[in-house]
C-alpha cells in the first residue's frame, strides 16, 4: 500500500524527519507515538504533500507508484486523506458545499458524473446518523464556531464520505470527550477493511484501546526508534516518553 | 385590465423564456406568470402619453408589470422621458417591474410609492440589458410610506455581447417608522459601464438595510449618499465589488448623521483579481450638536493577483463629542492555509480559490431569503 523509504524532511530549513522508513500494507492499522516535536505531524504533512514541508531525500510510494513529487490534490484523489490535528475554520464556505465539492472532485477523478444533490444529502445524512451528528452540522460554515470535538468529528465525517484508501489521523483524539472518542473510534473501526490502511498519530494510549493497531511505532527526533505490536503503546503509557529518549540514545 | 393579444403573448413568452434560461432556479414570479401584463408601448410611438394610467391599473391589479423601452427611440436623438407613477397599494407579496432596455433610452423617470401600512411589500426590479448596445438611463423615485416595510430587489440580465453605458439613480425616501430592505445586484458584461447612484433619505425611526454586489462591468461606479435626517434612523450596508480582469470599480459612500440617536453600520469588501483596480471611499459625517450617534465602517479587501490593486479610504468627519465610532480597513490575500485544506480534499487550487471567493461573498447573503441572489452570484463567479 504505502512505503516511505529513507525519508528526510525539512521545515523552515530545519531537518525534522531524519531518514525514516515505514511500510504499511493494505488492511493494516499502524500507530505512531512520540513526544512533542518528534516529527509526527511533519511526517503526516509530508505524506499528504504539503509544500511547506520539503522532502530532501527519500521516496513515498502509494500502490507501488512514486508520489513524492505530485501535488497535494493529486495525492488526495489517489486516496490519501489526512484528518488534521488542527482543522481550520473557513468562514463563508458551507460545510455541505465543501463535502460535495470534495466528493465530486473524487468522482471526476474516477470518471464518474457529479453526484445528484438529493443522493448526496441522503448519503451524508446516513453517515451523520452513524456518527451521531445533528443535521445543522452540515449547514454551518466549515469548522467555524465548532467546538474542538466537533472539528475532529467533521474530519472523520469527511473521511467516511470520501472513503480514502490510506487514512492518517493526526491526534484526532485530542479535544474529544469520552463519548465523542468512542463515536470517532467506532467510525474509524467501521472503515477498517482489507483494502484500506490507517495511520494513527497520537500521544496517548486511550484511542488505541478503542482502535487496536496492528503495529505501533515510536518516533523520536525524526526517526522510528522502536516498533512493536499494540502492547508497545501500553508500555509507553506506563513508562513515559523519557523511556523513548533512552531508546533513541541506545540506538545511537 | 388589458386584453392581451397573441402578439403580446408571444412577447411575454420571449421575455420570460429569457429570464428562465438565465435564472432557472427559484425565480419568484413563476407563480404569477398567468398575470403578466405587457406594456402597449411596444405598439405605440407616443407611449408616454397613455402609459401611466394603464400601468397603474395593471399594478394595482396585483400583477407583474413589464414595460419595454426598446421602442422609445427618438429619431432626433434627443433624450426621451418616460414618466411612470406607480402605486403599490395592494398587499402584494411580489411585484416585478421588468424592463427590457435596448438602445437610447435616457432620463426615464419612474416613481414608485409603497404605501401599504403594516404589510411587507416585495418589489423586484429586473433589468434586461441583453440587447443593450448604447446608452440607457433610469431614475427611480421611491417613496416608502410611514410604517411600510418594503423589500426592493434589483437584478440585471445581460449576455456577453451586451454593451453600452448603464446609468441608474435611485432616490429613496424612507418615511417615519418605515423599513426599506434593498438588494442591489449588478452582474454585467465586460462591454458595459455601470454607474449607480443611490440617494437615501431616512426620516424618524426609519431603517434601511442595503446589500449590494457589483461585478463584470468594465467600469463600475457606485455612489451612495445616505442622509439620516430623523431621530432614531438606522442605516446598515453590506457591499461587495468583485473585479477579476481589467475592470475598474469604485464605491463611494457617505453616511451623513444629521440628527441625534442615529446609527450607521457599513461593511464593505472589494475582491480584485487580474489587472483590475478597486477603490473604496467611505465617509462617516456628523453635524454639530447631535447626540448619541453610533457609526461604524469596516473595509475588508482581498487581492487575488499580484497585478490587481485596491485603494481604500475610510474617512471620519466627526463634529460631535457624543458618538461611538469605529473604522477599519484591511487588504490581504486568500489564506494559503484555506487553499491547502481544500486541496487536501482533492479540490484543485483554482477551484479552491473560487470556493473561498464564493464563501467571502456568501457571508453577506447567507440567509434563506437571499437564496435567489446567491444563486445568481454563485453562477456568475463560477462561469465568468
Amino acid at each position: 500500500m504505502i512505503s516511505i523509504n529513507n525519508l528526510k524532511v525539512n521545515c523552515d530549513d530545519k531537518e525534522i524527519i531524519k531518514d525514516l522508513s515505514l511500510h504499511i500494507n493494505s488492511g493494516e492499522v499502524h500507530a505512531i507515538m512520540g513526544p512533542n516535536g518528534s516529527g509526527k505531524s511533519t511526517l503526516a504533512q509530508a505524506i499528504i504533500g504539503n509544500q511547506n514541508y520539503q522532502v530532501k531525500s527519500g521516496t513515498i510510494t502509494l500502490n507501488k507508484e512514486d508520489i513524492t513529487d505530485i501535488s497535494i490534490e493529486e495525492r488526495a484523489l489517489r486516496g490519501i486523506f489526512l484528518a488534521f490535528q488542527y482543522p481550520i475554520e473557513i468562514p463563508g464556505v458551507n460545510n455541505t458545499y465543501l463535502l460535495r465539492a470534495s466528493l465530486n472532485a473524487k468522482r471526476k477523478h474516477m470518471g464518474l458524473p457529479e453526484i445528484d444533490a438529493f443522493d448526496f444529502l441522503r448519503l451524508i445524512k446516513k453517515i451523520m446518523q452513524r456518527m451521531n451528528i445533528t443535521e445543522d452540522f452540515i449547514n454551518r460554515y466549515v469548522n467555524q464556531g465548532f467546538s474542538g470535538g466537533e472539528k475532529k468529528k467533521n474530519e472523520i465525517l469527511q473521511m467516511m464520505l470520501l472513503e480514502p484508501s490510506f487514512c492518517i489521523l493526526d491526534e484526532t483524539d485530542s479535544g474529544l470527550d469520552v463519548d465523542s472518542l468512542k463515536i470517532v473510534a467506532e467510525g474509524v473501526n467501521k472503515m477498517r477493511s482489507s483494502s484500506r490502511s490507517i495511520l494513527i498519530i497520537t500521544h496517548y494510549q486511550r484511542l488505541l484501546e478503542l482502535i487496536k493497531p496492528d503495529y505501533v511505532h515510536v518516533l523520536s527526533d525524526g526517526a522510528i526508534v522502536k516498533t512493536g505490536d499494540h502492547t508497545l503503546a501500553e508500555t509507553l503509557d506506563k513508562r513515559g516518553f523519557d523511556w523513548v529518549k533512552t531508546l533513541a540514545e541506545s540506538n545511537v | 385590465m388589458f386584453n392581451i393579444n397573441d402578439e403580446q403573448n408571444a412577447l411575454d413568452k420571449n421575455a420570460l423564456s429569457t429570464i428562465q434560461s438565465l435564472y432557472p432556479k427559484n425565480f419568484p414570479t413563476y407563480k404569477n406568470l398567468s398575470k403578466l401584463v405587457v406594456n402597449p408601448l411596444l405598439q405605440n410611438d407616443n407611449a408616454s402619453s397613455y402609459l401611466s394610467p394603464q400601468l397603474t391599473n395593471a399594478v394595482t391589479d396585483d400583477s407583474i408589470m413589464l414595460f419595454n423601452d426598446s421602442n422609445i427611440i427618438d429619431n432626433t436623438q434627443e433624450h426621451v422621458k418616460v414618466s411612470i407613477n406607480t402605486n403599490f397599494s395592494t398587499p402584494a407579496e411580489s411585484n416585478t417591474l421588468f424592463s427590457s432596455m435596448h438602445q437610447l433610452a435616457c432620463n426615464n423617470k419612474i416613481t414608485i410609492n409603497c404605501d401599504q401600512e403594516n404589510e411587507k411589500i416585495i418589489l423586484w426590479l429586473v433589468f434586461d440589458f441583453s440587447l443593450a448596445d448604447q446608452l440607457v438611463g433610469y431614475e427611480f423615485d421611491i417613496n416608502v410610506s410611514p410604517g411600510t416595510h418594503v423589500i426592493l430587489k434589483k437584478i440585471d440580465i445581460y449576455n456577453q455581447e451586451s454593451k453600452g453605458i448603464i446609468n441608474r439613480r435611485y432616490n429613496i425616501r424612507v418615511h417615519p417608522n418605515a423599513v426599506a430592505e434593498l438588494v442591489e445586484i449588478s452582474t454585467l458584461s465586460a462591454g458595459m459601464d455601470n454607474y449607480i447612484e443611490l440617494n437615501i433619505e431616512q426620516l424618524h425611526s426609519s431603517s434601511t438595510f442595503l446589500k449590494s454586489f457589483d461585478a463584470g462591468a468594465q467600469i463600475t461606479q457606485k455612489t451612495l449618499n445616505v442622509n439620516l435626517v430623523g431621530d432614531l434612523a438606522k442605516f446598515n450596508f453590506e457591499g461587495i465589488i468583485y473585479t477579476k480582469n481589467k475592470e475598474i470599480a469604485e464605491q463611494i459612500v457617505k453616511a451623513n448623521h444629521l440628527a441625534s440617536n442615529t446609527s450607521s453600520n457599513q461593511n464593505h469588501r472589494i475582491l480584485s483579481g487580474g489587472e483590475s483596480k478597486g477603490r473604496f471611499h467611505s465617509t462617516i459625517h456628523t453635524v454639530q450638536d447631535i447626540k448619541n450617534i453610533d457609526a461604524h465602517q469596516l473595509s475588508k479587501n482581498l487581492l487575488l493577483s499580484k497585478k490587481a490593486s485596491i485603494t481604500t479610504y475610510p474617512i471620519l468627519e466627526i463634529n460631535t463629542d457624543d458618538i461611538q465610532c469605529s473604522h477599519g480597513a484591511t487588504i490581504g490575500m486568500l489564506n494559503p492555509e484555506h487553499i491547502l485544506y481544500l486541496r487536501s480534499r482533492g479540490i484543485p487550487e483554482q477551484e479552491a480559490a473560487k470556493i473561498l471567493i464564493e464563501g467571502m461573498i456568501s457571508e453577506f447573503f447567507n440567509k434563506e431569503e437571499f437564496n435567489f441572489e446567491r444563486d445568481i452570484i454563485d453562477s456568475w463567479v463560477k462561469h465568468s
Side-chain angles (χ1 to χ4, degrees):
Chain A
M1 165 60 80
I2 190 153
S3 283
I4 297 162
N5 306 298
N6 305 110
L7 196 68
K8 290 185 180 179
V9 181
N10 280 19
C11 181
D12 296 333
D13 292 328
K14 186 183 176 190
E15 190 178 54
I16 308 290
I17 299 293
K18 301 167 182 173
D19 200 22
L20 185 146
S21 294
L22 177 67
H23 182 80
I24 305 176
N25 290 314
S26 291
E28 290 180 352
V29 175
H30 288 228
I32 289 187
M33 302 181 77
N36 290 327
S38 58
K40 302 187 297 297
S41 291
T42 299
L43 176 63
Q45 296 293 336
I47 294 172
I48 68 164
N50 183 344
Q51 289 175 333
N52 295 325
Y53 298 82
Q54 302 88 39
V55 173
K56 289 295 177 185
S57 65
T59 59
I60 303 169
T61 63
L62 179 72
N63 297 324
K64 297 180 181 173
E65 285 185 78
D66 190 345
I67 60 164
T68 317
D69 296 322
I70 69 171
S71 69
I72 183 168
E73 57 264 40
E74 180 63 27
R75 293 187 204 201
L77 293 171
R78 291 191 190 193
I80 293 180
F81 180 94
L82 171 65
F84 280 77
Q85 182 181 2
Y86 303 111
I88 56 162
E89 299 179 4
I90 310 182
V93 177
N94 184 284
N95 218 10
T96 311
Y97 195 103
L98 166 67
L99 292 164
R100 194 166 168 216
S102 307
L103 184 61
N104 279 331
K106 182 190 169 189
R107 288 174 66 88
K108 187 179 176 186
H109 181 76
M110 295 166 72
L112 296 170
E114 288 194 353
I115 189 166
D116 173 79
F118 184 74
D119 290 341
F120 172 76
L121 274 177
R122 201 166 44 190
L123 174 64
I124 197 70
K125 282 181 179 176
K126 198 174 161 187
I127 298 171
M128 285 164 65
Q129 274 180 354
R130 282 165 64 187
M131 291 195 65
N132 201 20
I133 291 174
T134 53
E135 281 194 18
D136 71 309
F137 200 80
I138 54 167
N139 294 321
R140 291 152 69 182
Y141 292 148
V142 176
N143 292 325
Q144 194 171 41
F146 284 27
S147 68
E150 283 179 323
K151 286 179 182 174
K152 296 299 177 74
K153 277 188 183 176
N154 199 23
E155 296 291 287
I156 302 302
L157 176 69
Q158 291 175 39
M159 190 172 89
M160 292 174 82
L161 175 74
L162 296 174
E163 298 185 319
S165 55
F166 179 54
C167 313
I168 309 169
L169 280 66
D170 190 1
E171 296 195 25
T172 299
D173 49 344
S174 66
L176 288 182
D177 59 35
V178 178
D179 293 335
S180 298
L181 188 71
K182 279 182 186 167
I183 291 167
V184 165
E186 277 172 25
V188 175
N189 280 328
K190 279 177 188 163
M191 290 196 70
R192 288 181 84 150
S193 83
S194 57
S195 59
R196 181 173 292 122
S197 309
I198 298 172
L199 178 63
I200 299 168
I201 294 170
T202 182
H203 283 292
Y204 309 108
Q205 193 212 348
R206 62 175 190 163
L207 180 63
L208 304 183
E209 287 171 354
L210 299 168
I211 308 169
K212 199 171 174 183
D214 301 299
Y215 296 94
V216 174
H217 310 277
V218 181
L219 194 66
S220 178
D221 195 23
I224 290 174
V225 293
K226 190 165 182 65
T227 295
D229 61 16
H230 67 276
T231 58
L232 179 57
E234 294 165 20
T235 310
L236 199 61
D237 199 46
K238 283 175 193 161
R239 302 182 71 166
F241 287 120
D242 281 344
W243 175 59
V244 175
K245 285 180 188 167
T246 315
L247 284 175
E249 282 162 11
S250 64
N251 282 353
V252 174
Chain B
M1 190 66 195
F2 294 128
N3 290 317
I4 301 173
N5 63 29
D6 289 345
E7 192 178 346
Q8 286 169 329
N9 248 330
L11 286 159
D12 295 353
K13 285 176 184 170
N14 285 340
L16 285 162
S17 66
T18 305
I19 297 174
Q20 287 167 345
S21 65
L22 285 162
Y23 303 130
K25 288 188 287 186
N26 303 327
F27 195 73
T29 58
Y30 280 163
K31 61 182 177 184
N32 292 330
L33 289 184
S34 61
K35 292 182 179 177
L36 186 76
V37 175
V38 175
N39 185 343
L41 238 181
L42 293 166
Q43 297 170 343
N44 193 308
D45 292 336
N46 189 21
S48 60
S49 61
Y50 98 107
L51 176 66
S52 179
Q54 300 284 15
L55 285 178
T56 302
N57 286 340
V59 173
T60 53
D61 194 38
D62 186 17
S63 61
I64 306 162
M65 180 172 71
L66 180 148
F67 53 94
N68 190 314
D69 294 330
S70 58
N71 282 12
I72 311 176
I73 302 169
D74 189 325
N75 290 333
T76 64
Q77 295 296 302
E78 288 178 6
H79 292 174
V80 176
K81 185 167 183 173
V82 177
S83 180
I84 304 170
N85 196 335
T86 307
N87 288 293
F88 285 91
S89 57
T90 57
E93 283 186 358
S94 178
N95 285 303
T96 300
L97 295 175
F98 173 59
S99 176
S100 176
M101 293 194 270
H102 188 187
Q103 292 177 311
L104 192 65
C106 288
N107 291 349
N108 299 309
K109 178 109 177 191
I110 299 170
T111 302
I112 301 170
N113 294 311
C114 306
D115 58 3
Q116 185 63 39
E117 196 168 350
N118 300 320
E119 289 283 350
K120 193 181 276 189
I121 297 170
I122 303 173
L123 173 63
W124 286 81
L125 297 174
V126 183
F127 292 90
D128 177 4
F129 295 116
S130 53
L131 297 172
D133 59 6
Q134 288 186 34
L135 174 68
V136 289
Y138 260 78
E139 180 164 352
F140 282 90
D141 279 350
I142 300 172
N143 280 304
V144 184
S145 300
T148 305
H149 187 161
V150 171
I151 299 173
L152 176 68
K153 299 191 173 208
K154 192 231 82 183
I155 56 171
D156 298 326
I157 296 173
Y158 73 101
N159 61 36
Q160 293 304 325
E161 284 73 43
S162 301
K163 58 186 178 181
I165 298 171
I166 316 298
N167 200 340
R168 283 170 286 195
R169 177 184 293 152
Y170 301 84
N171 303 312
I172 302 169
R173 192 172 165 86
V174 190
H175 286 265
N177 300 306
V179 178
E181 294 183 49
L182 314 169
V183 187
E184 223 276 332
I185 308 286
S186 293
T187 52
L188 296 168
S189 76
M192 304 174 91
D193 292 353
N194 186 26
Y195 296 92
I196 301 170
E197 182 182 319
L198 289 111
N199 301 309
I200 300 173
E201 185 177 69
Q202 290 193 232
L203 305 184
H204 173 70
S205 298
S206 65
S207 299
T208 299
F209 301 91
L210 171 62
K211 283 181 187 286
S212 79
F213 177 82
D214 297 281
Q218 60 186 343
I219 296 175
T220 296
Q221 186 184 66
K222 178 170 278 180
T223 306
L224 177 60
N225 296 307
V226 182
N227 288 325
L228 300 164
V229 299
D231 194 61
L232 295 166
K234 292 177 182 171
F235 172 69
N236 190 302
F237 176 47
E238 292 181 331
I240 297 175
I241 290 178
Y242 180 27
T243 55
K244 56 186 302 183
N245 296 308
K246 291 185 175 179
E247 309 96 305
I248 297 171
E250 182 176 50
Q251 190 156 270
I252 304 163
V253 184
K254 188 161 188 182
N256 292 306
H257 289 259
L258 306 173
S260 293
N261 303 309
T262 50
S263 67
S264 66
N265 199 348
Q266 302 172 42
N267 197 343
H268 307 261
R269 281 186 184 173
I270 299 174
L271 287 71
S272 287
E275 298 175 28
S276 66
K277 293 179 172 60
R279 183 172 177 269
F280 161 67
H281 194 290
S282 170
T283 306
I284 294 172
H285 172 78
T286 73
V287 293
Q288 292 179 348
D289 302 326
I290 55 173
K291 293 177 178 174
N292 192 27
I293 306 300
D294 196 46
H296 306 278
Q297 61 176 212
L298 179 63
S299 172
K300 285 173 71 177
N301 307 295
L302 198 60
L303 279 171
L304 304 170
S305 76
K306 288 179 181 172
K307 290 187 175 175
S309 72
I310 295 173
T311 311
T312 177
Y313 299 95
I315 296 167
L316 304 179
E317 294 175 353
I318 309 300
N319 296 298
T320 180
D321 293 332
D322 190 359
I323 183 168
Q324 283 194 326
C325 189
S326 68
H327 69 158
T330 62
I331 300 175
M333 313 278 282
L334 283 174
N335 187 330
E337 284 190 6
H338 291 176
I339 297 273
L340 180 95
Y341 188 81
L342 297 178
R343 290 176 69 200
S344 79
R345 300 311 184 228
I347 299 168
E349 189 167 1
Q350 206 172 1
E351 183 64 26
K354 276 193 173 183
I355 288 174
L356 295 176
I357 291 165
E358 282 177 41
M360 283 198 75
I361 295 167
S362 73
E363 271 192 287
F364 285 0
F365 295 90
N366 61 353
K367 289 185 181 166
E368 198 172 327
E369 66 214 60
F370 301 117
N371 279 354
F372 178 67
E373 288 86 347
R374 203 168 59 223
D375 280 348
I376 294 170
I377 294 168
D378 287 352
S379 172
W380 192 88
V381 173
K382 273 196 185 80
H383 299 116
S384 61

